[in-house]
């Protein structure tokens, strides 16, 4: 039978009688994204961070990464335009070929930096394939809700190299997606990273992050994605030139 419910001005759901908590949970999971876009119909700029949180990131590297993510949160929330136009997704690569959605798609105004921990290996292929799938699904949601969007960004950040067996297959999918103008991918490596392998995930040259300057990088990222979110469609891709000033 049909489910009857009411949505209040404050975006609270009023359900019909005798509905179970599980039924309510399923309904809210399905409808909340649509409610969010109804309240904020701005064009979106999707931005994915694929973060290497393998065991080699223990200690000061993971500490600095977490500090940088908090700086990103603060900077985006303080930017009036970016806070309502930029959407963030964070994917963690770690463990024994494990991938975790540490922060699912959320408008920057509601983004809370996750606390990352370091452990295990570096399944960057699995993580990047997850990123492509999440972008495709989110683009479909935008279309369903009548929301326009800029070309998505993926930033792959690693201190090493991929350890999963079929990462090169995924790397080719990433390059193909970029060639087909479905996404812009930047590969960023710390001083110990294997840039030759990271380069295979993008048609753009990889960049090396000096020291552990995650905070500086994320502040740059916030300002850049804010510029893209406000740019006209003809200007959107000019952000690819920003790294040339590094």
């Amino acid at each position: 039978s049909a489910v009857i419910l009411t949505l209040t001005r404050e975006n609270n759901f009023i359900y019909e009688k005798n509905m179970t908590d599980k039924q309510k949970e399923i309904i809210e999971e399905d409808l909340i994204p649509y409610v969010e876009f109804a309240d904020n119909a701005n064009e979106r700029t999707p931005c994915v961070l694929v973060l290497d949180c393998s065991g080699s990131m223990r200690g000061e590297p993971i500490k600095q990464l977490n500090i940088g993510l908090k700086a990103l949160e603060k900077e985006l929330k303080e930017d009036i335009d970016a806070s309502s136009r930029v959407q963030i997704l964070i994917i963690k690569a770690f463990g024994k070929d494990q991938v975790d959605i540490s922060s699912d798609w959320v408008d920057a105004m509601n983004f809370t930096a996750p606390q990352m921990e370091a452990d295990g290996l570096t399944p960057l292929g699995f993580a990047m394939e997850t990123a492509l799938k999440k972008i495709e699904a989110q683009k479909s949601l935008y279309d369903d809700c009548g929301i326009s969007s800029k070309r998505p960004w993926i930033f792959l950040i690693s201190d090493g190299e991929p350890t999963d067996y079929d990462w090169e297959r995924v790397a080719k999918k990433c390059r193909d997606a970029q060639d087909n103008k479905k996404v812009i991918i930047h590969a960023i490596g710390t001083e110990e990273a294997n840039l030759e392998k990271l380069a295979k995930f993008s048609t753009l040259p990889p960049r090396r992050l000096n020291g552990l300057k995650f905070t500086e990088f994320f502040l740059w990222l916030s300002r850049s994605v804010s510029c893209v979110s406000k740019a006209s469609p003809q200007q959107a891709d000019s952000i690819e030139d920003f790294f040339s000033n590094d």
Side-chain angles (χ1 to χ4, degrees), residues 118-148:
D119 179 58
L121 302 176
T122 317
L124 298 183
F126 185 16
M128 289 296 287
E129 190 162 41
T130 301
L132 293 178
K133 290 177 180 178
K134 292 288 288 185
I135 284 173
E136 186 175 346
Q138 191 69 357
K139 180 63 167 63
S140 294
L141 181 59
Y142 291 153
D143 292 343
D144 289 345
C145 296
I147 300 296
S148 61

Side-chain angles (χ1 to χ4, degrees), residues 53-74:
C53 292
S54 58
S56 58
M57 286 286 289
R58 288 193 188 99
E60 194 63 20
I62 202 71
K63 176 183 176 182
Q64 292 303 319
L65 177 62
N66 281 317
I67 291 172
L69 288 172
K70 291 298 293 183
L72 176 64
E73 175 190 340
K74 182 175 184 292

Side-chain angles (χ1 to χ4, degrees), residues 181-197:
K181 301 189 181 301
K182 292 183 177 181
V183 68
I184 298 171
I185 301 172
H186 290 292
I188 315 296
T190 62
E191 290 181 342
E192 302 301 320
N194 186 331
L195 290 191
E196 183 178 348
K197 290 186 176 180

Side-chain angles (χ1 to χ4, degrees), residues 2-207:
V3 174
I4 302 173
L5 69 155
T6 302
L7 182 64
T8 70
R9 184 179 295 274
E10 293 77 20
N11 289 341
N12 296 317
F13 293 100
I14 300 176
Y15 298 95
E16 64 181 358
K17 293 180 179 179
N18 302 323
M19 287 191 66
T20 67
D21 289 342
K22 183 61 176 178
Q23 288 173 319
K24 295 176 183 178
E25 181 182 337
I26 291 172
I27 288 172
E28 292 192 13
E29 285 180 355
D30 288 342
L31 293 182
I32 281 176
Y34 294 90
V35 173
E36 180 181 32
F37 292 134
D39 280 349
N40 175 11
N42 283 317
E43 181 180 60
R44 296 305 204 278
T45 299
C47 183
V48 182
L49 301 181
V50 175
L51 304 178
D52 173 357
C53 292
S54 58
S56 58
M57 286 286 289
R58 288 193 188 99
E60 194 63 20
I62 202 71
K63 176 183 176 182
Q64 292 303 319
L65 177 62
N66 281 317
I67 291 172
L69 288 172
K70 291 298 293 183
L72 176 64
E73 175 190 340
K74 182 175 184 292
E75 190 83 358
L76 286 173
K77 285 181 174 178
E78 290 178 352
D79 186 311
I80 295 175
D81 291 303
S83 65
S84 63
R85 293 173 176 269
V86 175
Q87 287 208 311
I88 300 292
L89 170 72
I90 296 182
I91 298 175
K92 172 183 177 181
F94 70 112
K96 187 176 180 181
D97 289 346
Q98 290 175 263
V99 164
D100 181 48
I101 305 298
S102 299
S103 177
D104 212 339
W105 289 115
V106 64
D107 286 333
M109 67 176 75
N110 299 317
F111 171 61
T112 299
Q115 185 71 19
M116 313 302 280
E117 296 180 356
D119 179 58
L121 302 176
T122 317
L124 298 183
F126 185 16
M128 289 296 287
E129 190 162 41
T130 301
L132 293 178
K133 290 177 180 178
K134 292 288 288 185
I135 284 173
E136 186 175 346
Q138 191 69 357
K139 180 63 167 63
S140 294
L141 181 59
Y142 291 153
D143 292 343
D144 289 345
C145 296
I147 300 296
S148 61
S149 61
K150 295 287 176 60
R151 195 184 309 183
W153 286 12
I154 300 177
F155 286 89
L156 169 61
I157 304 175
S158 175
D159 73 335
E161 60 185 60
T163 55
D164 38 351
Y165 75 94
D166 66 343
W167 69 269
E168 289 186 275
R169 174 188 62 81
V170 178
K172 184 180 185 305
K173 287 181 67 174
C174 290
R175 297 194 306 272
D176 289 345
Q178 198 160 1
D179 284 337
N180 292 326
K181 301 189 181 301
K182 292 183 177 181
V183 68
I184 298 171
I185 301 172
H186 290 292
I188 315 296
T190 62
E191 290 181 342
E192 302 301 320
N194 186 331
L195 290 191
E196 183 178 348
K197 290 186 176 180
L198 294 184
K200 295 188 177 183
F201 286 97
S202 176
T203 59
L204 299 171
R207 300 291 173 175

